[in-house]
Each structure stands twice: as structure tokens, then as C-alpha cells.
Amino acid sequence: MSCLRDAKTLLFAPLRASLTVEAALVLPMFIFCMIAALQYCRAMETAVQFGTALSETGKELAAAAYVTTWTGESGEEASAAASVLSLVYAQSSVTGKVSGTSTVKNVNMALSSLMQEDGMIDLVLTYQIQSPVSAVSLPGSFFIQRASVRAWVGRSEEEAEGEGESEEDDPYVYVTETGTVYHLDSDCSYLKLSVFTITADALSSLRNESGGKYYACELCGAEAGPIVYATMDGTRYHSTLSCSALKRTVTQVKLSEVGDRHACSRCG
């Protein structure tokens, strides 16, 4: 029995030693990968917060530019708006909208510019994110994010006059993605559908405003239940409000760009 124990000891001793060596090699790699994953998740969360803060701050500055442009330089509103329309306010506003910034350092918006060409507000934010473990320094911790918005100052008189002259010869009209007509009025009822709900049993006696019957939508009508949706100027009923036939994607284009579309019978 003693010889058997000695044989087992000699047999498994190298195996235990190899496992110890492998664990010593793999464990640091595993810890490093976990730290890197944690760093990535934290960086993405911070980037999302800063992106949202930049967008919201850009809108605040755009509104302040409107106040300073149209209310003059005197008055409390203009004074408050002028203090908002600054890089100092922009940076404090952005950082104030972001939580959990204990690992964020060197926040700077010196690359930003306000009210440059065409009244653009360009917010550029640079910062660094520290490693969650101070003893480990991971590369690629420098970040830059940007948000641009045009100040709400409207058009200049020269721009308005120039556009007015060109619109007389080639006015703007409104078209949809799948429509065959163009509209002169953006409030045309063909562009703004009035959807109502009705029971499927009542459809047989219902007529649209032109006196026509309603038929099942080619896209969703086959799935219709006891409640359906229709429009007063349409000829189809729908099983869901999310049906693409009930949506209108309207685009403003020049009349010269409408192609073979013809004028709307209501507003054209």
C-alpha cells in the first residue's frame, strides 16, 4: 500500500504543478479582460450621457441666440440670454446634466465655437475616463464628442428676398414617397389623414366622402379583427394603426423636381 501511495504521489505531482502554473498565467489575463469590459461599459454609458447633454445644451444656446437677436441688447431677458450664450455656460450645463462623473477628468470645450458662419453653434467636448482600477492604466481613454445646431435666428432679409424671387418661378410643393400627385398646401387633407375607428360589422353600410365602399387593405386587411381603422377620403380599412398605408412621409421639393406627378385635385 505504501508503494501504491508513493506511485500516485509521483504521478499526480506534475499535474498539480502544471495546474498551478496555468492558473498563475490565466488569472491575470482574466482579470485584465474583466477590467477592460468594465471600462468599455462605463465609457459607453458616459458617452451616451454626454451626447444627450450636448444636444440639450445646444438647443438652449440656440434659443438664447433667438432672444439676443430679436430683443436687442437691453432688458433682463437679453442679459440672461447673453450669459447663456457662452462656452462657460455650455460646459457647466453639459457637466451638470451628467451623473457619475467621478472617473471623468480633463473635461474641456475649448474647441467649440458659437454663432459662426450661418449662425451655427458647434459644441465640441473632449474628456478622459480613468480606469476603474487605479493601478491599471488602459489605453484609448481620450474621447471627443460633438453636437451642432443652427441658432434660432431665422433668415436674413437678403436671404428671404432672394428665396422669394426664386420661389415665384419655381415654388415649393409637397409630395409623398408613393404618391402620384404634388400638393401646394402642406395642410391638404390628403396629406393629413383623419383616421377613425369602427367595428368591422358596420363597414358594409359605411361610405366614404365620395360615396365609395371600403375594402380590405392589401397590407394588413387580412388580419382585421372586430375593430378596424379607416379614413373619410380613403377606400380601405386597416387592422392596425401602424400600417404603412396610414402614414404620410411628406417632403418639400421644388416644382421642377416633381417629375411626372400631377397637381392634387384639392389643393393643386
Side-chain angles (χ1 to χ4, degrees), residues 49-184:
Q49 291 190 60
F50 272 128
T52 302
L54 281 170
S55 298
E56 293 178 354
T57 302
K59 293 179 181 179
E60 294 174 6
L61 268 61
Y66 171 86
V67 175
T68 56
T69 301
W70 297 107
T71 61
E73 299 180 355
S74 59
E76 296 182 0
E77 292 183 357
S79 177
S83 63
V84 170
L85 196 61
S86 65
L87 292 181
V88 174
Y89 172 83
Q91 181 165 329
S92 63
S93 176
V94 169
T95 54
K97 290 179 170 62
V98 178
S99 60
T101 58
S102 58
T103 59
V104 179
K105 62 179 182 178
N106 298 331
V107 178
N108 195 300
M109 295 187 69
L111 298 178
S112 304
S113 58
L114 304 180
M115 302 301 294
Q116 297 299 311
E117 185 178 357
D118 297 329
M120 292 301 298
I121 297 173
D122 190 19
L123 301 180
V124 182
L125 174 70
T126 59
Y127 59 95
Q128 289 179 293
I129 297 181
Q130 293 177 319
S131 171
V133 180
S134 58
V136 179
S137 179
L138 298 179
S141 59
F142 180 81
F143 296 86
I144 179 170
Q145 289 182 250
R146 187 174 193 170
S148 297
V149 61
R150 189 177 187 276
W152 299 348
V153 295
R155 297 175 297 175
S156 65
E157 294 183 1
E158 293 78 6
E159 291 175 333
E161 291 175 359
E163 292 185 9
E165 293 174 358
S166 61
E167 288 179 5
E168 291 180 1
D169 300 327
D170 193 11
Y172 281 105
V173 295
Y174 305 90
V175 298
T176 60
E177 290 180 323
T178 59
T180 59
V181 302
Y182 64 84
H183 306 264
L184 298 181

Side-chain angles (χ1 to χ4, degrees), residues 8-31:
K8 289 183 178 180
T9 301
L10 292 174
L11 179 63
F12 289 103
L15 179 60
R16 288 195 296 269
S18 64
L19 291 176
T20 303
V21 172
E22 291 176 359
L25 294 175
V26 172
L27 185 59
M29 294 293 296
F30 175 77
I31 294 176

Side-chain angles (χ1 to χ4, degrees), residues 32-60:
F32 180 83
C33 291
M34 292 300 295
I35 293 174
L38 180 61
Q39 177 82 338
Y40 176 80
C41 294
R42 177 166 294 179
M44 291 302 100
E45 180 184 4
T46 303
V48 170
Q49 291 190 60
F50 272 128
T52 302
L54 281 170
S55 298
E56 293 178 354
T57 302
K59 293 179 181 179
E60 294 174 6

